[in-house]
Amino acid sequence: MIQGLGVDAPEVRLGKDLEGLDGLVIPGGESTTIVQLLDIFDMRNTVVGLVQEGMPVWGTCAGMIVLADRLTDHRPEPLHLIDIEVSRNAFGSQVDSFEADLEVDGIDGTPFRAVFIRAPVVTTVGRGVNVLARLPDGRPVAVRENDMLATAFHPELTGDSRVHELFLNIVTGVKEPQPS
Ligand code: GLN
């Protein structure tokens, strides 16, 4: 999706792949596996350091779990970056996957069709965190804290690139020279 928007998006598999990035996306998948690989390949401190120095980061689904400060589950050990508590598999198993039309703050036009696959939900939001989208029952499913974005759903699956554009705008905003 990001390449489709004309932006270079190399895959990050090893620590050396983190060099020179303007932003990082932690995708969906399985958060326990992602965290295990981050630790096996000794990338946890590098990722946390880069984000704390201001590199924009976006976690989708499992990626949201990885970025959270706290989980209702006892594993995995998240990166403690975004001040939220997250509950994994909050809607049940794979067969309980669903789609919903969401109003997302910062996205103009029609509601965003969001695909939830064994998705997490945000159970607690810290003071500095903005909720960008909620389910009809009020539960937060998209949040932003500074230049860190997290979505419980998979915005890459519908062909609608508006959440990707939102993240790229965060990245270019950070890159723009600050007035002195
Ligand atoms: N249930 C997965 C987890 O706990 C997330 C699923 C997904 O990324 N679609 O990590």
Side-chain angles (χ1 to χ4, degrees):
M1 285 287 276
I2 288 174
Q3 270 159 0
L5 294 166
V7 174
D8 194 20
E11 283 188 0
V12 172
R13 294 181 179 275
L14 298 169
K16 64 176 171 52
D17 303 328
L18 291 162
E19 283 167 25
L21 297 182
D22 296 319
L24 179 69
V25 177
I26 304 183
E30 186 55 48
S31 56
T32 49
T33 308
I34 295 171
V35 168
Q36 220 174 5
L37 291 170
L38 280 171
D39 287 332
I40 289 172
F41 291 102
D42 209 16
M43 294 164 74
R44 173 187 289 266
N45 290 342
T46 314
V47 171
V48 169
L50 287 168
V51 174
Q52 283 174 344
E53 283 163 21
M55 182 180 70
V57 68
W58 172 24
T60 62
C61 203
M64 170 188 258
I65 297 165
V66 174
L67 292 177
D69 182 49
R70 305 170 297 281
L71 305 180
T72 55
D73 244 18
H74 62 283
R75 70 188 192 123
E77 181 66 36
L79 298 184
H80 309 289
L81 283 167
I82 302 183
D83 189 8
I84 49 174
E85 181 191 70
V86 169
S87 173
R88 296 176 61 206
N89 303 319
F91 305 96
S93 67
Q94 196 80 13
V95 293
D96 301 306
S97 298
F98 64 99
E99 298 183 11
D101 288 320
L102 302 177
E103 295 290 346
V104 183
D105 231 27
I107 286 183
D108 295 331
T110 52
F112 190 89
R113 185 81 179 160
V115 181
F116 292 83
I117 303 171
R118 278 203 310 130
V121 79
V122 179
T123 43
T124 314
V125 177
R127 272 165 172 261
V129 178
N130 288 325
V131 175
L132 304 185
R134 295 177 186 275
L135 288 171
D137 65 11
R139 289 186 287 175
V141 286
V143 296
R144 175 173 175 179
E145 182 179 22
N146 301 320
D147 294 317
M148 302 180 290
L149 181 67
T151 48
F153 48 91
H154 281 263
E156 76 281 15
L157 293 180
T158 55
D160 184 339
S161 61
R162 288 178 293 167
V163 182
H164 291 75
E165 286 163 39
L166 176 70
F167 181 63
L168 291 177
N169 285 338
I170 295 175
V171 173
T172 44
V174 168
K175 276 191 77 186
E176 271 164 25
Q178 301 299 315
S180 52

